[in-house]
Amino acid sequence: MQNSLADIETIILKSERFKKTLLSPKIQGLYGALKSFFIAQLSKNNPTTCIITPWPDELFDDIKVWTNKRCDLKEAILIPSWDESRPSEMGRGQRVPPPLEIMSDLYYALNSLIKSAPVIVVTNPKKGLPSPELVKKNVIYLNTGSHISMSKLVNKLAEFGFNRVGTVEELGEFAVRGGIIDCWPYGRAYPLRVEFMADEITSIREFDPLIQTSVSRVRTAEIMPINLPQGDADIKDYLDKDALLIYDTIKEVEPQEETNRPYVYLGEGYDVCGKSSYQGNLNVFNQTLAKLKHYKVFVICENETEKSRLLEIFPELEVRLSDLSEGFILPDAELAVFTYSDIFGRKIRVKPIHPFKGKGIPIEDLQSLQPGDFVVHVDYGIGLYQGLKRIQVNHTEIDCLLILYKDEDKLYVPFDKLRYIERYIGHYERPPELTALGSGAWERKKNRARKAIQDLTNELLSLYAERKISKGYKFSPDNVWQAKLESSFPYEETQDQLKVINEIKMDMESEKSMDRLVCGEVGYGKTEVALRAAFKAVMDGKQVALLCPTTILAEQHLRTFKQRLIEFPVKVESLSRFNTRMKQQKIVAGLKRGDVDIVIGTHRLLGNDVQFNDLGLLIIDEEHRFGVQQKEKLKKLKKGIDTISLTATPIPRTLYMSLTRIRDLSELETPPKGRLPIVTQISMWDENLIKQVIIREIQRGGQVYFVHNRIRSINIIANLIRKLDPNFNVGIAHSELSERELEEVMLKFLIGDFNILVSTAIIGSGIDIPQVNTIIINRADRFGLADLHQLRGRVGRSDVRAYCYLLIPKYITKEAKRRLQTMITYTELGAGFKIAIRDLELRGAGNLLGREQHGHIHAIGYELYTQLLSEEIKRIKGEVVQKRIEPTVDLGINCYIPDYYVDPARKFSLYKRLSSADSLHEINEFKHELIDRFGPLPQEVESLLLAIQIKILARDAGITKVINKGREFGLKFLKLPKKTLLNHPLVTWVGSTKGTVEIRVSINDPKKLKSFITKIKT
C-alpha cells in the first residue's frame, strides 16, 4: 500500500476547474484539504503567503502535510493565538495577556518571520502583536565559538523573565553549574546546555530534561524573552509589500482596501468542490460510495490501527497514511478524498502539549534524602539519616552516609555500599522504632516478615494455580461491528490503551479464565478499555456485569456505555438505588431471561435474587472499596468467568513488579494527548479568593466543584457561596439525598443548570464532567492523601488548564501538613505512583496486602519487604537466589564528589546510582553523563569511578577485598585462585585465613591494578 499523496496531487492539478481557481482573486467552495492544497500551490509563486483565518491551527496542520510532500514548497509558520475572552486572574473587566507559553512561542514565530526565507504564515485576524522593532531588539543569539561572558548571559536570562533553579526541568528555567548554563527557552522542543571556556562558547547542546543528558549538538540558538509586553501591531506589519494575503471566510474584512498588496478572498458556498463528512453514519457513506463508482476514491487515516479498521470494514477502498484533517469531493476531476474522521465522526483534536510537559521528572528525588529521614540498612536495620559526611580512612578522604541508631550509636556507610540503604517507607504517623545495633532484634523482624511473606505467596499461588487449571469461555476474534465501535471513539487512543486492549482480547480469545487487573490514573482511559471488552463479550452472545462502588459512578458508566453503543443492538441497564423497586425487579427478570446484555450497578448486583442467563465477563471498578462479605460473593461469581478489575489507586512499582509474576496486570501510564497538569494551591478560608476563583471559571465557560465533606453543615456552606455573587447557581449533592433527588441534582449540573456543585466527597468516585475545571476542597486537612488525589482527578479531564484549591484552617496537624505538601509537590501527570509511595508512608499498605502484611512492612520498611517478596517468589518457582559478593575496595586515594562540582543536595542520588552499577559499561555511561551535566571531571571523581570499576571487576573475579598496602595491593579471595595466578611474577606473597586466600601484588598504581584484575577475570 502506498503512503504518498502524490497521486492525489496529480489528479487535482489536472482539473481544469482547479487551474482556473488558482487565477481568481475570489473563490467560493474550497472545502477540506483542497483548501490547504490550494494555498500551498499559490505560495509557490509568491515570496511570502499569509493566511488570515478563524481556524489557524487546523489549516496550519493541513498545509504542513502538503508542503512536506514536495521539496519545492516552503516552510509553514503558525502565529499562535489565544482566547482574549479568557478572564484574568484578577477577575472581570481587565485585558488579559496570553499565557507565557503563547507569548514566547509568538515571539519565536515572529522572529523567524523577520529573518526567514519566504514562508507560509498562518494566523488569526486578531491584533495586539509587539512591534517588529521590539522583537528584533530582544533576542539573544548564541553561536558556537562566539564570545560572551557567562555573567552577561545569566543577567540577560534573568532580565528576560527566566527563573533560576538548581536543575532545569520546565520551560522558562535556567541553571548555572561551573562553566555550564542550562536554559529552556519557549519555542524549543528541548532545553539548551551552553558550555563555556572563559568567555568563549565551546558547545551548545540540546538535552533531555527527564534524564538531564544531551541528545544533540547545535551550532546556533536564539533565546526569546518570556516577558515582552503586547503591542498594537498587526501581522501585516511583519510582511513585505509583495506578500500575498489570503483571507479565509472572514466576512468583517474588506480585502479591497489592501490596494498595495496582492490578495485572495476565500468565501463560503458550493463552487469548486463538495464536503465529505458523514459523522459515523455508515449507511449514508455506503450510499455515497455507490454514487461515486466512477470516481477515484481515497481514504486518509493517521496510523496503522485506523488503517486496519478501515480495511476490515471497507476492504475495497484505497487507503493512504497521512494527517489531513478533512477530505473533499472534486466532481470536475471525478476525485473523492475522505478522512477517517469524515467517515466515523471527527476525533476531538487537541493540541499536543510539549513532549515533556507534565510527564514529571523521574526522581533522583524518590531516592533523595533529607537529614532526619528514616532509612533502612539491609543488615543493620532502621536508623535516622544524618547527611553525607567526609571522613578520613587510612589517610584518604571518602564520602560516607551517617546513620544514627538507638542509644546514639552511629554507622558510617561508604559510598560504594549505598545499595544496602533505602529510604524507609512504612508509616510516618506511627514512626518506626530505631534498631539497637548488635541486639539481634533486626534479624528476628526480618525472619518474621519472611514467614508472613511465605504465607501470602502460598495463598496467591494457590489462587493462581486454580485459575490456570479452570477453563473459561474462548471468545471469537473481533468482527466488523467491533471495528466500527472502536472507530467511533472520539479521542485518539494512547499506546498504553491499545496495548492493554490487545492484552485483554488475547486473554478473552484463549481458553484460560481471565483475571486481569488494569491499573491507571484517573482519566487515563480505563472505561474505554472496559467498554471494548464488554462489547466483544456481547458480540459472542454473552452477558456482562460491571460492578461499581457507588451509585454516581454507576450512572456515569451507564451514560458512557449507552452513548457509545447507541448505534448497536445492545441493551444496557443500570441496577442501583437510583432505580425504583419495580424497575429493579424488571431488570433482574431481564437478566435471568437474557434480555439484558450489559448491566451496570453497585453491590445490588451481588443480591441473592440476581441471576444471569449466560454471564461471560465481570468488570469490577475499584474492588478494594468493597467490603469483606461482598468480596466473598465476588469470589464465587468470578469462578469460570473472565474478570477485569479496574483501579485508579496506583500500585507502587516494586510491589507491582513482584506481583506481576503471579497475577496478570496491565498499566495505563500515558496521559491522553493535550492533558495538562493541575495547578494546585493551598489557602486558608478566604471568601474573596473563593469568589474570584469561581468567577474566573464561570467566565471561561466552566463549572466548579466545591467539596465540603460534612452533611450537617453543607447547606450553610451552599448559602454562603450563593451570597458571594448573584450569578452563582448552586446545587447540593450528598449521600443522604433520595435516589431521585441525587439523580436530579447531578443531571442538572451535567447539563449546566448549576455552575457550582457543593458536594461531599461523593463526587470522587469517577464522575466525569469535562467542563468542570476548578475544584475547591474545604478542610482539605481532613482528607487522606489518596482521597485528595482522587478528588483532584475530577478536574483537568480535557485540554483546558484546571485548578485545585485546598482550603485549610490556621492550625493543622503535622501529618496533614505532610499530606498537603505532597499534593503541592506532585502535581505533574502520572504523579499517582509517587503519591502512592507517599501514601504508604502516611497510612500504610493495609488496602494492598491486608493488615498483617502491613504490620511487617511497618517493621522492616516497604523496600526491604518487596525485596524479600521477590526473593520468595523466585524460591517458590525454583529459581536460585544467590547472595551477592560486595567487595571492599580501599585504593589509598581520595574518592568523592566535591561540593563545588555537584550541589550537595543532589550528590546522594548520584552515589546511589553509582553504587548500584553492575557493569563497566554503566560506569562509562555514568562518566559521560557527569561530564555532560557538570563539566570536566575533577581528579577525586576520576578516582571514585576507578574504585567502582575495580569493585565490579573484583566481584566477578571472586575477590572480596582490595586494600592498599603502601607499595603493593592486597587481594582477598573466597576460594583458591588458579595456580597460574599464584605463580604470577607480580605476586609476592600468598596466605590463607578462615577459608579465604590472600595474595600481595607488587603494583602501586590503581590503573595498573585494574588491568591486573581484568586479566584474572578473563
Side-chain angles (χ1 to χ4, degrees):
M1 180 69 66
Q2 298 179 30
N3 292 337
S4 170
L5 299 180
D7 42 2
I8 297 176
E9 293 181 29
T10 301
I11 296 172
I12 297 172
L13 292 174
K14 286 181 180 178
S15 164
E16 293 298 325
R17 184 78 183 101
F18 187 79
K19 289 178 185 177
K20 290 178 183 178
T21 300
L22 288 172
L23 303 175
S24 174
K26 286 191 175 183
I27 304 298
Q28 286 189 318
L30 280 170
Y31 289 115
L34 192 62
K35 181 189 290 185
S36 54
F37 182 74
F38 170 82
I39 291 169
Q41 291 299 313
L42 277 180
S43 72
K44 291 169 64 176
N45 301 316
N46 291 277
T48 300
T49 305
C50 178
I51 303 97
I52 300 176
T53 174
W55 309 283
D57 293 345
E58 191 169 291
L59 190 58
F60 174 77
D61 291 340
D62 278 357
I63 290 173
K64 286 290 286 184
V65 172
W66 294 118
T67 55
N68 287 339
K69 299 299 172 190
R70 297 274 298 277
C71 60
D72 59 330
L73 294 178
K74 294 165 291 189
E75 180 188 359
I77 289 180
L78 174 67
I79 305 297
S81 59
W82 63 94
D83 182 7
E84 289 181 325
S85 65
R86 186 179 58 86
S88 74
E89 302 291 325
M90 302 303 295
R92 297 170 171 165
Q94 299 190 21
R95 187 182 183 190
V96 181
L100 286 180
E101 295 98 330
I102 295 287
M103 283 299 280
S104 296
D105 286 349
L106 173 65
Y107 297 140
Y108 189 84
L110 293 177
N111 185 55
S112 300
L113 179 58
I114 289 170
K115 68 181 184 60
S116 178
V119 292
I120 300 173
V121 185
V122 187
T123 183
N124 68 2
K126 294 177 182 175
K127 293 187 178 182
L129 301 178
S131 68
E133 293 74 25
L134 189 62
V135 172
K136 287 179 187 177
K137 181 181 175 183
N138 287 277
V139 184
I140 300 174
Y141 296 98
L142 302 178
N143 300 281
T144 303
S146 65
H147 289 77
I148 180 175
S149 73
M150 282 189 68
S151 59
K152 182 178 179 181
L153 180 55
V154 167
N155 292 336
K156 203 70 177 172
L157 289 170
E159 180 186 323
F160 276 14
F162 284 77
N163 181 34
R164 185 164 181 171
V165 294
T167 301
V168 170
E169 299 173 347
E170 297 283 344
L171 290 157
E173 294 180 342
F174 78 101
V176 183
R177 295 183 310 280
I180 292 175
I181 295 178
D182 288 349
C183 67
W184 198 343
Y186 286 99
R188 294 199 73 95
Y190 289 90
L192 296 172
R193 178 161 289 154
V194 186
E195 191 163 2
F196 288 81
M197 180 70 73
D199 288 341
E200 181 185 351
I201 297 176
T202 57
S203 77
I204 305 172
R205 306 188 295 275
E206 293 181 321
F207 69 92
D208 184 335
L210 295 177
I211 56 177
Q212 293 290 311
T213 56
S214 298
V215 293
S216 64
R217 288 183 177 270
V218 294
R219 290 202 57 79
T220 63
E222 297 160 4
I223 301 176
M224 305 293 297
I226 60 177
N227 56 4
L228 272 178
Q230 288 177 262
D232 295 317
D234 185 272
I235 186 63
K236 294 190 284 288
D237 295 323
Y238 287 82
L239 306 175
D240 59 58
K241 60 183 177 61
D242 296 322
L244 172 66
L245 291 177
I246 300 178
Y247 294 91
D248 180 16
T249 59
I250 301 175
K251 295 179 180 178
E252 65 270 21
V253 174
E254 292 295 333
Q256 292 87 341
E257 296 177 3
E258 296 292 335
T259 54
N260 296 326
R261 299 179 190 273
Y263 71 87
V264 173
Y265 180 76
L266 305 181
E268 296 176 332
Y270 179 83
D271 189 358
V272 179
C273 68
K275 291 185 176 180
S276 61
S277 181
Y278 296 89
Q279 299 300 312
N281 193 328
L282 297 191
N283 291 329
V284 176
F285 179 65
N286 281 319
Q287 292 171 13
T288 301
L289 287 179
K291 294 176 184 177
L292 300 175
K293 58 184 177 181
H294 298 301
Y295 278 51
K296 190 69 175 173
V297 178
F298 298 90
V299 179
I300 309 296
C301 63
E302 295 183 6
N303 52 57
E304 291 291 343
T305 302
E306 292 181 349
K307 178 179 166 183
S308 62
R309 288 176 188 160
L310 274 168
L311 293 176
E312 190 171 352
I313 302 173
F314 306 107
E316 73 285 356
L317 291 179
E318 284 205 53
V319 181
R320 297 287 184 270
L321 291 177
S322 189
D323 294 325
L324 294 178
S325 62
E326 190 178 357
F328 57 89
I329 298 173
L330 185 58
D332 181 63
E334 293 190 332
L335 171 67
V337 177
F338 303 96
T339 66
Y340 188 87
S341 298
D342 293 336
I343 300 170
F344 295 106
R346 181 169 293 276
K347 301 269 186 192
I348 297 174
R349 295 178 73 94
V350 293
K351 270 182 154 182
I353 60 174
H354 193 279
F356 301 106
K357 191 73 174 173
K359 281 189 177 179
I361 306 301
I363 350 199
E364 289 190 342
D365 55 74
L366 268 186
Q367 297 289 357
S368 64
L369 292 173
Q370 298 296 326
D373 285 349
F374 289 102
V375 293
V376 181
H377 191 293
V378 173
D379 294 330
Y380 296 100
I382 299 171
L384 282 173
Y385 172 59
Q386 302 295 294
L388 283 171
K389 306 294 181 184
R390 188 159 301 150
I391 65 172
Q392 278 203 342
V393 179
N394 297 330
H395 308 293
T396 60
E397 290 186 313
I398 61 171
D399 278 345
C400 289
L401 197 93
L402 174 57
I403 305 176
L404 189 67
Y405 284 90
K406 194 171 183 177
D407 300 325
E408 300 297 312
D409 286 345
K410 294 180 179 179
L411 179 70
Y412 289 91
V413 183
F415 65 87
D416 62 334
K417 304 291 187 188
L418 292 193
R419 68 161 62 239
Y420 291 120
I421 302 293
E422 296 292 350
R423 184 161 162 261
Y424 173 84
I425 299 173
H427 201 326
Y428 270 125
E429 289 184 1
R430 184 160 56 88
E433 181 183 0
L434 296 184
T435 305
L437 295 181
S439 66
W442 179 242
E443 281 302 318
R444 289 193 293 273
K445 285 182 179 180
K446 285 202 295 184
N447 290 335
R448 284 196 294 269
R450 279 195 185 95
K451 176 65 172 63
I453 287 171
Q454 287 173 2
D455 295 340
L456 170 70
T457 50
N458 287 333
E459 180 185 349
L460 289 173
L461 281 171
S462 65
L463 291 172
Y464 176 76
E466 184 180 336
R467 183 167 63 83
K468 282 292 185 185
I469 60 174
S470 68
K471 290 214 170 178
Y473 178 80
K474 185 176 181 179
F475 286 91
S476 306
D478 288 357
N479 58 21
V480 172
W481 277 11
Q482 185 83 29
K484 181 182 176 184
L485 168 77
E486 296 181 0
S487 300
S488 67
F489 184 49
Y491 300 92
E492 182 180 341
E493 299 97 333
T494 66
Q495 287 303 309
D496 282 350
Q497 274 183 306
L498 293 173
K499 173 176 159 291
V500 173
I501 289 164
N502 186 56
E503 289 170 348
I504 289 173
K505 287 179 178 179
M506 289 175 64
D507 284 353
M508 293 178 72
E509 291 173 18
S510 72
E511 289 186 346
K512 76 169 185 176
S513 179
M514 174 175 66
D515 183 12
R516 183 170 289 276
L517 172 64
V518 177
C519 186
E521 293 230 28
V522 288
Y524 276 36
K526 297 186 298 294
T527 303
E528 179 66 18
V529 168
L531 185 143
R532 294 186 187 187
F535 188 77
K536 183 177 180 68
V538 172
M539 289 300 96
D540 256 22
K542 294 287 185 178
Q543 291 174 297
V544 178
L546 197 168
L547 187 64
C548 309
T550 66
T551 51
I552 288 186
L553 183 53
E555 288 302 300
Q556 173 77 40
H557 284 319
L558 178 68
R559 281 196 298 272
T560 301
F561 272 62
K562 282 195 169 182
Q563 182 182 359
R564 294 279 283 112
L565 301 176
I566 192 169
E567 292 188 26
F568 302 94
V570 178
K571 187 169 185 181
V572 185
E573 294 287 0
S574 171
L575 194 58
S576 71
R577 67 186 182 94
F578 275 170
N579 304 126
T580 62
R581 186 182 297 274
M582 186 176 295
K583 180 75 181 290
Q584 289 184 33
Q585 291 173 348
K586 187 177 178 182
I587 293 171
V588 168
L591 286 171
K592 190 172 182 179
R593 289 194 306 268
D595 297 339
V596 176
D597 299 303
I598 301 174
V599 62
I600 300 168
T602 58
H603 59 276
R604 175 69 181 85
L605 280 177
L606 301 175
N608 295 329
D609 61 329
V610 177
Q611 298 179 32
F612 294 89
N613 179 273
D614 190 6
L615 182 64
L617 177 64
L618 174 65
I619 303 170
I620 309 168
D621 202 349
E622 301 294 356
E623 183 175 355
H624 68 277
R625 299 184 62 182
F626 291 94
V628 175
Q629 291 183 342
Q630 293 157 351
K631 286 182 178 177
E632 287 302 314
K633 289 186 178 181
L634 278 173
K635 280 184 182 178
K636 295 177 184 176
L637 191 60
K638 280 182 180 181
K639 288 200 173 178
I641 301 297
D642 280 6
T643 304
I644 301 171
S645 298
L646 310 175
T647 180
T649 303
I651 295 176
R653 197 164 311 274
T654 43
L655 182 61
Y656 169 91
M657 293 294 287
S658 296
L659 293 178
T660 47
R661 305 179 192 192
I662 295 179
R663 293 197 64 191
D664 294 326
L665 289 97
S666 298
E667 197 167 22
L668 294 167
E669 296 182 291
T670 308
K673 185 188 289 186
R675 191 68 56 86
L676 295 167
I678 300 166
V679 177
T680 305
Q681 296 181 21
I682 297 174
S683 172
M684 285 188 283
W685 179 275
D686 181 340
E687 291 185 10
N688 186 55
L689 171 71
I690 295 169
K691 178 179 177 179
Q692 295 302 328
V693 163
I694 295 174
I695 287 173
R696 181 188 63 195
E697 187 58 58
I698 292 173
Q699 284 186 336
R700 64 174 184 169
Q703 293 170 283
V704 177
Y705 286 129
F706 191 103
V707 178
H708 179 78
N709 210 29
R710 291 290 185 271
I711 296 176
R712 183 180 300 176
S713 54
I714 197 168
N715 286 310
I716 296 173
I717 294 294
N719 288 330
L720 191 153
I721 291 173
R722 288 188 183 100
K723 291 177 183 176
L724 293 177
D725 192 289
N727 295 315
F728 290 176
N729 298 318
V730 181
I732 300 174
H734 56 78
S735 59
E736 289 186 4
L737 293 176
S738 69
E739 293 90 340
R740 192 172 298 280
E741 287 173 328
L742 187 56
E743 181 180 20
E744 185 178 338
V745 169
M746 296 310 301
L747 288 175
K748 281 186 176 181
F749 188 60
L750 188 63
I751 64 177
D753 287 353
F754 301 131
N755 47 31
I756 304 159
L757 183 67
V758 178
S759 168
T760 59
I762 192 172
I763 63 158
S765 300
I767 189 165
D768 182 6
I769 307 178
Q771 65 266 28
V772 184
N773 282 300
T774 292
I775 185 169
I776 303 169
I777 304 174
N778 191 30
R779 290 307 302 266
D781 56 304
R782 291 175 171 171
F783 289 86
L785 190 51
D787 294 328
L788 286 173
H789 181 57
Q790 194 85 356
L791 285 167
R792 183 170 64 180
R794 295 304 105 208
V795 297
R797 309 293 288 244
S798 64
D799 59 338
V800 176
R801 174 71 72 187
Y803 298 86
C804 173
Y805 294 88
L806 307 174
L807 303 184
I808 60 172
K810 188 173 183 179
Y811 300 105
I812 60 176
T813 66
K814 289 182 180 179
E815 292 75 19
K817 281 182 182 177
R818 289 195 184 106
R819 290 195 296 270
L820 296 171
Q821 187 57 49
T822 300
M823 292 295 292
I824 294 295
T825 303
Y826 300 134
T827 60
E828 71 271 19
L829 301 175
F833 165 60
K834 297 167 190 173
I835 287 175
I837 286 284
R838 191 69 173 137
D839 204 27
L840 273 175
E841 296 175 350
L842 298 175
R843 297 199 307 165
N847 282 342
L848 282 174
L849 297 170
R851 301 308 304 174
E852 182 189 354
Q853 300 299 330
H854 159 55
H856 293 296
I857 289 176
H858 177 69
I860 66 171
Y862 168 76
E863 293 288 350
L864 180 56
Y865 178 90
T866 50
Q867 179 186 322
L868 297 178
L869 175 63
S870 180
E871 290 175 0
E872 180 61 22
I873 290 174
K874 285 182 180 178
R875 187 190 64 77
I876 290 175
K877 296 176 79 173
E879 300 176 20
V880 178
V881 181
Q882 291 184 331
K883 188 164 178 69
R884 175 189 181 97
I885 300 174
E886 287 292 345
T888 299
V889 176
D890 176 8
L891 300 181
I893 53 178
N894 293 334
C895 299
Y896 58 86
I897 302 174
D899 293 349
Y900 69 81
Y901 185 63
V902 174
D903 182 352
R906 293 196 169 265
K907 286 204 298 185
F908 173 78
S909 59
L910 295 176
Y911 276 131
K912 179 78 171 173
R913 285 174 53 197
L914 194 57
S915 72
S916 301
D918 284 324
S919 68
L920 299 184
H921 176 71
E922 287 181 68
I923 301 300
N924 286 329
E925 286 194 335
F926 187 78
K927 176 180 179 179
H928 292 310
E929 179 183 333
L930 288 179
I931 295 171
D932 182 22
R933 293 176 62 181
F934 306 104
L937 300 180
Q939 183 56 53
E940 296 90 345
V941 180
E942 290 272 15
S943 300
L944 174 69
L945 298 181
L946 179 60
I948 296 294
Q949 289 175 320
I950 289 175
K951 178 181 175 181
I952 291 170
L953 291 168
R955 182 197 65 203
D956 294 344
I959 299 171
T960 61
K961 192 170 186 178
V962 177
I963 187 165
N964 184 290
K965 296 285 187 179
R967 296 191 175 186
E968 58 186 8
F969 279 95
L971 307 180
K972 186 177 284 188
F973 292 81
L974 274 177
K975 58 183 180 179
L976 190 67
K978 296 177 182 177
K979 285 186 178 180
T980 51
L981 173 63
L982 299 180
N983 295 327
H984 195 284
L986 291 177
V987 174
T988 61
W989 176 83
V990 178
S992 62
T993 55
K994 297 181 181 178
T996 62
V997 176
E998 186 176 350
I999 67 173
R1000 300 279 175 86
V1001 185
S1002 182
I1003 295 175
N1004 61 5
D1005 182 352
K1007 291 183 179 178
K1008 291 180 180 179
L1009 177 67
K1010 175 186 169 185
S1011 300
F1012 180 81
I1013 297 177
T1014 301
K1015 291 175 182 175
I1016 296 175
K1017 176 175 173 273
T1018 55

